[in-house]
Amino acid sequence: MNIIPKAKNFKENGNIEISAEFSADERLIFCKKAFLRMVSKLYGVRLTDGDDGIKLVYDEALDKDEYAIKGASVYASDYEGARYGLATMLQLMEKTEDGFTVCDTEIKDSPDKDFRAFMTDLAREWHDFDNLISYVDLCYLNKMKYLQLHFTDDQSWTLPLACFPKAATRGRCYKRSEIDYLVEYAYESGIELVPEFEGIGHSKELIKNCPDEFGNVYDEEIEDSSVENSVEAGKVGRVDNIMCIGKPDIFENIRRMLSEIAEIFKYSKYIHVGCDEAKHENWNHCALCRDYMARQNLESTKATYSHFVKKIIDICLSLGKTPIVWEGFPYEGTENISRDAVVISWENIYQSGPELIESGFNVINASWSPMYIVPLRKEPIKTICKWSVISKNWRVHQVQHHWNASKAYGGLELTPREKVLGGMLCQWECKMEEERDRVILNLPQVSDRTWNAEDFYSGEEFESAKEKIIALSEKLI
Ligand SMILES: [Zn+2]
């Protein structure tokens, strides 16, 4: 019997039979609801209160986020540890006629990295609300801690906000009641949501729906081609998807949005504010932006881009949330941006992971290869993106890219290691049926390699270790 992620200390003794019962120490009782829900979904059994089944035991000797298992008892000193121990128990159980067989183990385990995440793009392709619930469950099973929701982009705006109701894409926006339900559901499950409002660039839909508040007023018509994918990143195009920095109330309007997002996602530590791939040269073609740059003594659109990023980050910090941004803002002006912001290293073209760390940022490793799940619709992406995390030997302390224009082509080490908060598997541009199987297969690999920075499964070991979690995942989504 092997579990995912690989446990740091694991000993197997055989099997024990237990009843379909559950008991928990009062100090950890909060974890009961989500666990019972998962047992019900995975095994079709509703556990009843009783001492002859799985026990959740408080053990103050265990560290924060740590758990231990002995037989059918899970030990922890906090909710995080308890949740991880219970998630492991889901893999050790087998249903019998009148209860469960549990693999009798001795485990003591804790994660190496805090930011173990999955991100799903909800703006390029519509995802039914039920899919979001399934992803919370999948994160629970894989002991991931964060689920990032990419709510907004050029193609649609899916996050309902009372402060800008007209921002929402008609027929492609979640209901506020659904989001409220999701927030509570994730909280009970111990999964922290990271809401993403993609700011500055990637704002075509917002600008279309709220032109007076966010749109540039160009001197001449701007070519309205669609946004190129990341292979084209770095090119400056005349794509009208960038917010106007010269609008009189632009920062007040962004503050209103972020305030409401902070209020809705009340349990979340982080808000992702986007900030990548902004076609900043467009600001030269808008009189309002030219005036703003002159008033602020901003000498270039690159410096203006960093200025805009700094402003958004500062708003987020003033609301008591930690901002996350994509790598993509220019080097010029970076010195003014708060180092309390966390940067996701993905393309390693604009500023590489090592460069971002060197300049004082904490980073999250979402390096394109192999952490991006994208549609396999045409070559060369079709071939390139079939790889798995294991086949690329991805590690949380190394960024990689298949493209030789990236500084991470061939791999780059990330040091010092404490500046790497973790890693994130990202689903981009896929329809649910395109991403489903790849998420199910890749999530356990990313789980293993963010939980364990060094001692993770090899490809061969993973083949047998994955069987149970893959079978369970199939029932959740
Ligand atoms: Zn403008």
Side-chain angles (χ1 to χ4, degrees), residues 277-347:
E277 298 183 312
K279 308 293 183 191
H280 53 86
E281 289 201 344
N282 285 12
W283 289 326
N284 281 327
H285 304 274
C286 167
L288 293 173
C289 288
R290 287 196 300 267
D291 287 350
Y292 184 85
M293 290 189 277
R295 285 201 307 278
Q296 298 286 329
N297 292 320
L298 294 162
E299 288 177 355
S300 66
T301 55
K302 276 193 176 177
T304 307
Y305 187 175
S306 290
H307 172 87
F308 207 153
V309 173
K310 172 192 157 44
K311 289 276 213 177
I312 294 183
I313 281 173
D314 288 349
I315 291 169
C316 201
L317 288 169
S318 75
L319 296 168
K321 300 288 184 180
T322 300
I324 306 180
V325 294
W326 300 108
E327 161 215 344
F329 53 88
Y331 179 73
E332 290 86 343
T334 292
E335 68 276 11
N336 299 319
I337 295 172
S338 170
R339 268 46 181 175
D340 289 333
V342 177
V343 185
I344 297 190
S345 175
W346 60 286
E347 188 121 81

Side-chain angles (χ1 to χ4, degrees), residues 215-217 243-247 283 286-290:
N216 286 289
V217 183
M243 294 173 175
C244 178
I245 197 169
K247 281 270 152 62
W283 289 326
C286 167
L288 293 173
C289 288
R290 287 196 300 267

Side-chain angles (χ1 to χ4, degrees), residues 23-42:
S23 67
D25 185 291
E26 272 308 308
R27 286 163 285 191
L28 301 172
I29 198 84
F30 179 75
C31 301
K32 176 181 174 179
K33 188 173 177 182
F35 179 66
L36 261 56
R37 192 158 65 198
M38 290 296 286
V39 171
S40 171
K41 287 188 185 196
L42 294 171

Side-chain angles (χ1 to χ4, degrees), residues 121-137:
D121 176 359
L122 307 172
R124 266 52 170 267
E125 295 289 347
W126 174 250
H127 286 60
D128 290 339
F129 179 70
D130 287 352
N131 299 151
L132 308 190
I133 296 294
S134 300
Y135 276 144
V136 172
D137 291 342

